[in-house]
Each structure stands twice: as structure tokens, then as C-alpha cells.
Amino acid sequence: MSYQNILVNPQVRPYVALIQLNRPKELNALNLELMGELRDALKALDADEQVRVIVMTGNERAFAAGADIKQMAGRNAIDMLKIDQFTTWDQIKKTKKPVIAAVSGFALGGGCELVMTCDMVIASETAQFGQPEIKIGVMPGAGGTQRLPRAVGKVNAMEMALTGRFISAEKAYALGLVNKVVPVELYLEEAFKLASEIAQLSPIAVRLAKESVLKSFETGLSEGLEFERKNFYMLFATEDQKEGMAAFIEKRAPDFKNR
Ligand code: CAA
């Protein structure tokens, strides 16, 4: 598939794919076209047997500076309703393989929200996160008021959404929004390292573990525990479970086959 607004490398490392948002002049502002391509690319990589983990990145200056303000500015509410841009986001959210965001520079508005749809986040020391929509007369619309409080707690989410202030990578780490902060020259490599570590594990176990963690945001504890338990039991139907446990007992490295 050829894309105009993103670059896709399905094998940047063994079993690891890379998606790079690629509208550098606009600081990777997320227009409808880019989001549609991102959805299509994630769907294709999700279906690709040679891909186990996906890294999503922008460039050093910006992961993404938010939804494309110039594209939205003249629209009225009915236009917005008809275009319903966030349906694309719902589809992106359904990606089954782990997605790691590698963030440098601005991750603002929809850019910060896109980071939060990813499963793990590696940030460069220069990364800045924020929900500045309030400064342009609107508010977060792609999950900022819902995922942010779950990630950083109520008061921090309120401060970000109600003032539009940015937070540094260091603060984002302290608040639990990112997994690790590294110097700018290392953020992509660090994301590949994390991706490669996960890519060596049983893809079916990884998939069900991701699904179970995400379930915890949607359910109460009892229902979530029930869901987790069924996924745990289901893994005993896989060859990878037999291989993983046999390898432990035989004191050797496992060779997972995704079966
Ligand atoms: N949409 C469209 N264009 C954008 C953009 C955006 N979100 N962010 C930056 N750009 C464009 C700028 O207009 C500029 O283009 P021109 O050269 O043609 O003028 C170019 O990218 C470079 O930006 P700046 O000159 O502004 O760069 P800067 O370093 O001075 O400032 C910035 C960087 C602080 C990120 C500033 O660009 C900014 O505040 N951007 C907007 C951030 C924002 O409000 N994001 C939220 C959008 S709404 C949203 O995301 C809704 C949602 O929930 C989905």
C-alpha cells in the first residue's frame, strides 16, 4: 500500500514494524487523510504474520501537534457530526498487537491522545505532552478527558485540560504517562529494544495479555478478573504454552511459534 502522510516499514527489526507520521512541515498535525492512512496501516500490520510489535513515531521536533486546526477551523457542528473523525480512532484502538509510541518533541491535543491509545511510551528528554485545545476554544475530543485522568490522575488531568499547559517528559514519567525517558538520540532505538523484547515472546500470550489489561479500563474488578482467567486458561490450548513451560523446566531458551 502506498501512503502520502505516513511512512511504513514492516520489518524495521525482526518482527517489529515502524509507522512514522510524516507531515513534518505541519508538525505532523493529524488531518483526516493521515488518520485514515494510520488506521489502514495498523490494520494491515495487525494482519501480517511477520509483524509482532508496532512502533509509532513522528520526528525529533514533533510526534504530533494535534488534530489539524486548519482543516477543522471552518466546520460547523453538523459537518463535524457527519465527518465523525473519531470513528477512525475507534478502529485504531482495536489494534491487537502491541503498539509502542516513540515520542520526541510535541505530543499535543490529538497527538497526546494518540500516544495514549498506544500501549507503552518511550519519550526523548525533549518530549512535551499537553492538551491545549482549551486555548483554541474547544476541548479534547479523542479521549483526552477520559484516558488522561486514568493515566495521570484527576488533578493533573484537570490542570492539563483546563489550562492547556504542557508537561515535560520528566514530569510525564513521574506521573505515569510514559515508561522511560532517554536522550533524544536514543528514543527510537530504545523503543525498538522494547519492541524486540516483546517480539521474542509468544504472540498469542502477548495479545491476550494486552486485551486483558485494556479490559481493566472498561469493567469492574470481578468481571475483569473473570475475563483474565478465561484468557489465562485459553493459553493452555497453545503450543507456545507447552514450549514455554518445557523450556523453563529443561533450562533452555523457548522457541515460540505463534501457535
Ligand atoms: N494543526 C495545523 N497546523 C499546525 C498545528 C495543528 N495542530 N500545529 C502546528 N501547525 C503548523 C503551524 O500552523 C505552522 O504552519 P505554517 O508554517 O504554515 O504557519 C507549522 O505547523 C509550524 O508550527 P509553529 O510555527 O506554530 O511552530 P512553533 O514551534 O512556533 O510552535 C506549537 C509549536 C507550540 C506546537 C504550535 O504550533 C501549536 O500551538 N500548535 C497547535 C497545538 C494545538 O492546539 N493542538 C490541539 C489541536 S485540536 C485537537 O487536537 C482536538 C482533538 O482532541 C483531536
Side-chain angles (χ1 to χ4, degrees), residues 26-240:
E26 295 83 9
L27 304 185
N28 290 332
L30 305 169
N31 62 10
L32 296 177
E33 295 76 13
L34 185 152
M35 291 309 294
E37 290 181 8
L38 187 58
R39 173 203 52 212
D40 294 347
L42 284 167
K43 196 168 173 209
L45 295 173
D46 224 16
D48 184 339
E49 279 278 316
Q50 292 308 307
V51 174
R52 293 183 177 178
V53 184
I54 299 158
V55 174
M56 189 190 296
T57 197
N59 55 53
E60 266 188 38
R61 188 168 175 218
F63 178 81
D68 191 322
I69 299 170
K70 292 168 192 164
Q71 192 176 54
M72 283 185 301
R75 294 206 172 113
N76 64 34
I78 302 304
D79 296 332
M80 293 300 280
L81 195 71
K82 283 185 178 165
I83 293 166
D84 199 13
Q85 67 201 67
F86 299 128
T87 303
T88 312
W89 292 66
D90 294 339
Q91 292 159 336
I92 285 173
K93 199 185 73 178
K94 291 188 180 143
T95 308
K96 295 186 176 71
K97 292 174 185 167
V99 184
I100 299 172
V103 181
S104 178
F106 300 112
L108 305 176
C112 188
E113 290 166 312
L114 187 56
V115 168
M116 289 188 287
T117 66
C118 296
D119 302 306
M120 282 158 279
V121 186
I122 301 295
S124 92
E125 285 166 347
T126 63
Q128 296 188 69
F129 300 83
Q131 298 291 159
E133 293 92 336
I134 203 78
K135 291 186 169 172
I136 53 170
V138 288
M139 56 175 277
T145 67
Q146 302 303 302
R147 291 202 180 92
L148 197 57
R150 285 167 165 85
V152 304
K154 174 185 154 187
V155 296
N156 294 306
M158 284 288 190
E159 184 175 332
M160 289 172 73
L162 271 49
T163 68
R165 285 183 194 162
F166 302 168
I167 60 168
S168 66
E170 193 189 355
K171 179 142 189 210
Y173 174 72
L175 294 178
L177 192 60
V178 311
N179 294 78
K180 189 168 182 180
V181 182
V182 296
V184 64
E185 58 278 12
L186 294 179
Y187 75 100
L188 207 48
E189 204 46 53
E190 191 67 31
F192 293 154
K193 222 161 93 182
L194 178 60
S196 296
E197 187 178 331
I198 296 166
Q200 285 170 28
L201 305 173
S202 162
I204 309 173
V206 168
R207 172 178 164 170
L208 294 190
K210 165 172 170 163
E211 193 181 279
S212 300
V213 172
L214 289 180
K215 196 74 175 175
S216 75
F217 294 98
E218 312 281 349
T219 63
L221 183 60
S222 303
E223 199 188 326
L225 288 170
E226 194 61 34
F227 186 85
E228 176 193 73
R229 192 166 304 168
K230 288 199 173 129
N231 275 347
F232 180 75
Y233 294 155
M234 183 155 37
L235 287 172
F236 284 73
T238 64
E239 288 178 26
D240 284 350

